[in-house]
Structures are given as C-alpha cells and as structure tokens.
Amino acid sequence: MTTLPRGAASVRFGDEVLLYGDRAQWKGLADRARGGNLQRRERVLDVKKERLHIVVQNGRLFQQEHPEVPVILDRGRFLLVELAPDRARRLRRKSPTCYGVLPLGKTKVVFDVRQPSRARAAPIKSIQRLVDKVSRTTFQADLARLVSFPTRFSTSAHYARAAAQARNQLTAMGYTTKSQNITVDGGASRNVIADKRGGASRARNVVMVTAHLDSINLQGGPAASAPGADDNGSGSAGLLEMARVFRDHRSKQDLRFILFGGEEEGLFGSKHYVARLPASERARIQAVVNMDMIASLNTSTRSVLLEGATLSQRVIDGLSAAAATYTHLTVETSLHPFASDHVPFIDTGLPAVLTIEGADNANSRIHSSNDTIDHVKSDLALEILRMNVAFVAGEVGQM
C-alpha cells in the first residue's frame, strides 16, 4: 500500500484508485505511485477540491443532460466531475430520479468490486431448490407482456392496465393483493402490493421485494413510446418471477412484493408508501430488496451493483454472500444511494438495497423509445434473480 504524502488523499472507484493532492506535492506522489503493481495514469489538473463532485447516474442521463460538465473520471454509473459548489447544489435538486450529485469531501470509497469466489461456500439445499425454480421462460413471458404496452407512463391508461394485470397475476399465485392509490404530479396512479403471511406463531418480521412498474420517454413526453424493457420491465418481471418462486414456500417471516408507480417522475410511489407506514409496520421491516434495471450487460462479465447506505450493510453483505454461493456474478457495492425506490426507505432509517446491473459503460438507452426487449440479456437478469431469491429465502426462513 502506498503511503501518501501529507495533504494527499485517495478515493476508490472499483478497481481504480484516484490519488489527488496539491500541485507542489504531485511529483512526490507520482513517484511513489510508480512502485508496486500499480498501473499509473497521470493527469495533472488545476481543480480546487471543493469543485470535485461525485455523480451517481442512471444510464448516461447526467452526461446526456449536461455534456458541458468536465468529467475527470468516468466509471459508468459513477463519475468524478468538476462543478462549482452552488451549481452542484442546484443540479442535486433538479433530477433526483436521473442522477445524484454530492461533494467528494472525505469519501474514501465510491464503489468497490468483489470478483466471483473460486472457493464457493456450500449451498443450503432448501435454498438451492428455490434458486433452481427461477425460470427463463416465465421471466421472458412476463417481460414481453410488460413491453407490449406502448408506454407505462404512471398516469396513463396503459399503466393502469399493466398494474391491473400484474395484480391479477399475483392474486392468481395465492397472494393477498391490494392497490394503493397515489398522486403523481396531480394525476392518479397506483402501487400494487402483494402479501404472503409467514407461519411463525410469534411476532413476525416482513421481508420486502420491490420494483417500479412505470416507464418514461423523457424527450418524447407522456404519450411517446416508452417500452421500458430494462428500466424497469426487467425489475418488474423479476419481481413477478420471484413471487412465482415463493408462492408455495412455507416461510417463517412475512413476505411482501410491491410494484411502485411514479418512480420516474420523482419516487412518488415509494415515498407515498413509506410515509404512510404505521410505526408498528416500520418496526417489522427486516430487509428491502429493490430491483431496477437488471438486464443490460454493460461489462464483459455479468455484474451487479448493490447500492445502499451504512444502515443497509447487513443486507449488502447477505446479498454478496448469496451471489458468491449461488451465482457467478461480479459484485459491486456502494454506500451512495440515489435515484431509485430504495432511497425513501433508507431516508427513514429502513435497511434497503438496490440491485442493479453493473455500473461500467452504463446503459444509454433508458428513458427513450430505444429501451427495447432486443437489448435485454436474460442470462444476467436470471443470475441477479438467483442472488435475490437466495438472500430472501435465508431472510424469511422455512417452517
């Protein structure tokens, strides 16, 4: 490990470490970095530290909207950019569902990478049986039905039909279902909630799996084509697939599946749901696994990003362990939550984690008519679903 000169600092972006410091100290810092097995890429910039900001973006939405902002380091979902602090604050408030902006500050790790383990832990047979139930056929059929709607814009008649269809599917699986009415920018929309009661006789916790059902075309507007195959047909079809896997499972803890509306306009569905949770229900929430964009292969290997906060660390660790045992996924982890339905849970102190396709070379087709089913990679989605099924199985237990 390189010992940094006084006044210098480092921040990790996956398998890259950015070293930065004062110009006067740079030669000594660069000389030290030449040692060991480091592959060095030197770039000398006159940038004040207070102008360094981390961007967490969905797809390439920040770069598409702000091509004039200088990018110092590009790692797909994660960027290091140069921004004046006042402009960064304005941008942070502007598009909470497209990107997040935060000062570099004392950040040490933006995201980390864990390669698949060669020495995999022995799988638990009862969990492996559930993992093996994940089906390509039914996942692809559900995704095809979702993208058959011209759009799933949250306040459209198409969204209402997609939500009704999803609720009917969950009801047919034996779940107790309900619709929760929400308001999205003055229009009517809904969440779909499906419950399965656990068998423990004492007070039970609840494990939640969530995804947003809506889609959007930012340039074309509410009536424009928005197939939303990856964002977020993949997560919604994944939720329906997980519900199918668990429908006959006799768990100890309660299990709840939620399809949110209004995510693309500002996390309306998840904010509404969390804000109206009674204190007794909040206390029962053991873990929240949110799926958003799980089917675009953006790297040479199948990878998943687990994004949460410090309070979510147990869930991140559990998902990572499930990935190592039941999949061959490369796992990326981040404690910088932005731009999806895990955020309202985290903001109120509940342990939620976003599971999303790997960050590098991020998907540039989302929020447009180009987010079509022909770009979906089911092999990646199925691996992420196997990880999520294994984790949830461990959380809910078995009678």
Side-chain angles (χ1 to χ4, degrees):
M1 184 72 181
T2 301
T3 302
L4 300 180
R6 182 177 298 176
S10 67
V11 57
R12 177 174 291 279
F13 285 78
D15 55 3
E16 291 190 83
V17 178
L18 177 76
L19 307 178
Y20 59 97
D22 296 339
R23 175 180 283 274
Q25 300 167 323
W26 183 254
K27 185 178 185 305
L29 179 61
D31 287 344
R32 294 188 191 198
R34 288 189 182 97
N37 349 350
L38 293 177
Q39 293 184 338
R40 186 172 61 88
R41 288 187 292 133
E42 186 174 349
R43 186 178 180 189
V44 180
L45 296 172
D46 281 320
V47 181
K48 292 182 178 180
K49 185 177 178 181
E50 59 267 24
R51 294 178 66 90
L52 293 175
H53 289 80
I54 298 165
V55 170
V56 187
Q57 61 179 345
N58 277 344
R60 290 285 181 184
L61 295 178
F62 179 86
Q63 289 164 290
Q64 290 167 359
E65 191 173 327
H66 301 288
E68 78 288 353
V69 173
V71 176
I72 298 168
L73 182 63
D74 183 343
R75 294 303 306 269
R77 180 168 171 82
F78 301 96
L79 309 172
L80 183 68
V81 303
E82 180 186 359
L83 274 174
D86 56 344
R87 188 180 181 204
R89 285 190 290 271
R90 290 196 299 272
L91 291 180
R92 189 180 308 139
R93 294 189 293 266
K94 184 178 180 183
S95 297
T97 60
C98 294
Y99 51 79
V101 183
L102 67 156
L104 178 61
K106 296 182 179 179
T107 302
K108 296 296 183 185
V109 178
V110 175
F111 75 101
D112 209 349
V113 178
R114 306 176 191 180
Q115 298 296 335
S117 173
R118 293 183 180 179
R120 301 173 74 194
I124 297 170
K125 289 182 180 179
S126 60
I127 293 179
Q128 186 67 64
R129 284 194 291 269
L130 289 169
V131 169
D132 291 343
K133 287 184 177 183
V134 174
S135 164
R136 179 187 304 272
T137 301
T138 47
F139 169 77
Q140 289 180 336
D142 283 332
L143 180 58
R145 277 192 289 272
L146 289 170
V147 301
S148 69
F149 292 96
T151 180
R152 298 189 307 280
F153 189 77
S154 297
T155 56
S156 68
H158 298 300
Y159 176 86
R161 285 195 289 273
Q165 183 183 86
R167 182 181 176 184
N168 289 340
Q169 285 181 260
L170 291 162
T171 302
M173 292 180 200
Y175 289 89
T176 301
T177 67
K178 64 180 179 181
S179 291
Q180 182 181 49
N181 294 328
I182 63 172
T183 300
V184 178
D185 290 334
S189 188
R190 70 188 72 171
N191 298 328
V192 176
I193 303 170
D195 279 296
K196 185 173 183 292
R197 184 184 175 92
S201 57
R202 296 183 179 180
R204 297 179 310 278
N205 288 338
V206 60
V207 178
M208 297 173 57
V209 179
T210 68
H212 73 88
L213 183 62
D214 56 316
S215 66
I216 199 169
N217 185 324
L218 286 177
Q219 298 299 318
S225 172
D230 190 30
D231 189 14
N232 186 35
S234 64
S236 296
L239 181 145
L240 293 170
E241 180 61 18
M242 288 185 66
R244 188 190 67 81
V245 166
F246 282 101
R247 65 183 174 184
D248 296 321
H249 179 65
R250 297 183 66 242
S251 63
K252 293 180 180 179
Q253 309 300 335
D254 291 354
L255 184 57
R256 181 172 299 155
F257 294 95
I258 307 178
L259 290 167
F260 290 119
E263 191 269 0
E264 300 290 12
E265 292 85 359
L267 311 182
F268 281 93
S270 52
K271 286 179 178 177
H272 179 99
Y273 176 81
V274 171
R276 283 157 181 77
L277 277 174
S280 58
E281 276 296 290
R282 289 174 187 263
R284 290 202 317 123
I285 295 176
Q286 182 171 314
V288 181
V289 177
N290 181 45
M291 291 185 287
D292 194 348
M293 297 169 56
I294 63 168
S296 180
L297 188 62
N298 303 314
T299 61
S300 58
T301 58
R302 295 174 194 162
S303 60
V304 61
L305 171 67
L306 307 179
E307 182 181 283
T310 303
L311 62 89
S312 316
Q313 191 64 59
R314 187 193 67 82
V315 181
I316 291 174
D317 291 344
L319 285 162
S320 296
T325 303
Y326 299 94
T327 80
H328 293 89
L329 289 167
T330 296
V331 174
E332 302 169 353
T333 61
S334 172
L335 298 180
H336 299 286
F338 282 103
S340 192
D341 288 314
H342 58 315
V343 175
F345 290 94
I346 289 171
D347 285 346
T348 195
L350 297 171
V353 171
L354 168 67
T355 62
I356 187 172
E357 63 209 27
D360 292 358
N361 305 314
N363 183 347
S364 60
R365 295 178 293 272
I366 65 171
H367 294 185
S368 76
S369 60
N370 297 321
D371 187 6
T372 52
I373 199 167
D374 54 305
H375 295 296
V376 162
K377 303 298 182 185
S378 293
D379 286 345
L380 173 62
L382 295 172
E383 281 282 80
I384 293 174
L385 288 174
R386 292 180 188 114
M387 173 191 69
N388 289 346
V389 165
F391 171 75
V392 170
E395 290 291 294
V396 299
Q398 183 174 7
M399 293 298 293

